[in-house]
């Protein structure tokens, strides 16, 4: 499973925590991208990634059966459903994108979020709320990943 978070190519400078962007997911059963969803597919990416991380953490650590991650200012959403054997199904609009162990889902999201933050956070002003939210969410998810190893 692989996630990719990106800033939309049409965004104009200066960068802002409210910039639009996209999520691409490639899984064992297919792929999905917010890019393919028309004009309402792009989302406020710097705010959406923290929501995804902050929602997945308790889902992956707990007993919750499913978690739906909705994007900010977009119709794009992913649903994560726990199987009886601890696996997680990732779906988009009811279509299966991936079936993986929970640890693989966590690792894929973590790698993509860290890669996105490393590539883009330095472009945002230090006091930008989007920057602060993403920094905090990535740090919390890193602590979570250390606990589950």
């Amino acid at each position: 499973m692989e996630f990719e978070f990106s800033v939309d190519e049409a965004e104009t400078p200066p960068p802002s925590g409210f910039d639009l962007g996209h999520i691409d997911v490639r899984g064992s059963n297919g792929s999905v991208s917010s890019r393919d969803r028309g004009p309402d597919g792009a989302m406020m990416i710097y705010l959406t990634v923290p929501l995804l991380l902050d929602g997945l953490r308790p889902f992956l650590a707990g007993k919750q059966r499913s978690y739906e991650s909705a994007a900010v200012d977009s119709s794009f959403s992913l649903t994560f459903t726990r199987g009886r054997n601890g696996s997680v199904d990732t779906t988009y609009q009811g279509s299966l994108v991936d079936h993986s162990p929970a640890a693989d889902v966590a690792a894929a999201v973590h790698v993509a979020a860290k890669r996105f933050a490393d590539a883009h956070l330095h472009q945002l002003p230090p006091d930008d709320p989007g920057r602060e939210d993403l920094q905090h969410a990535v740090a919390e998810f890193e602590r979570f990943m250390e606990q589950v190893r």
Side-chain angles (χ1 to χ4, degrees):
M1 167 168 239
E2 185 179 344
F3 285 81
E4 184 179 347
F5 308 118
S6 60
V7 175
D8 193 274
E9 300 82 20
E11 282 297 330
T12 57
S16 160
F18 300 110
D19 282 350
L20 298 178
H22 295 282
I23 294 178
D24 297 287
V25 183
R26 287 172 287 288
S28 58
N29 290 72
S31 62
V32 65
S33 175
S34 61
R35 297 170 198 281
D36 302 332
R37 306 298 163 220
D40 63 343
M43 64 204 67
M44 291 183 182
I45 194 67
Y46 290 103
L47 303 179
T48 298
V49 173
L51 282 177
L52 175 62
L53 295 173
D54 291 346
L56 270 179
R57 246 183 323 106
F59 167 73
L60 293 170
K63 303 282 187 218
Q64 190 179 343
R65 177 96 169 102
S66 68
Y67 165 66
E68 183 176 4
S69 176
V72 177
D73 200 28
S74 171
S75 63
F76 188 83
S77 67
L78 295 169
T79 301
F80 302 88
T81 307
R82 184 184 320 279
R84 294 180 194 262
N85 62 355
S87 63
V88 173
D89 286 346
T90 304
T91 59
Y92 174 76
Q93 295 184 338
S95 295
L96 183 65
V97 177
D98 186 74
H99 177 82
S100 291
D104 291 357
V105 175
V109 169
H110 178 244
V111 165
K114 185 137 178 45
R115 185 181 312 126
F116 178 74
D118 289 347
H120 296 282
L121 276 182
H122 71 278
Q123 299 171 358
L124 297 177
D127 62 343
D128 188 291
R131 177 183 179 141
E132 293 171 3
D133 285 355
L134 184 56
Q135 284 175 316
H136 178 73
V138 168
E140 287 295 315
F141 209 86
E142 285 178 359
R143 282 191 277 283
F144 167 72
M145 292 298 292
E146 290 170 5
Q147 293 171 358
V148 297
R149 287 184 187 148

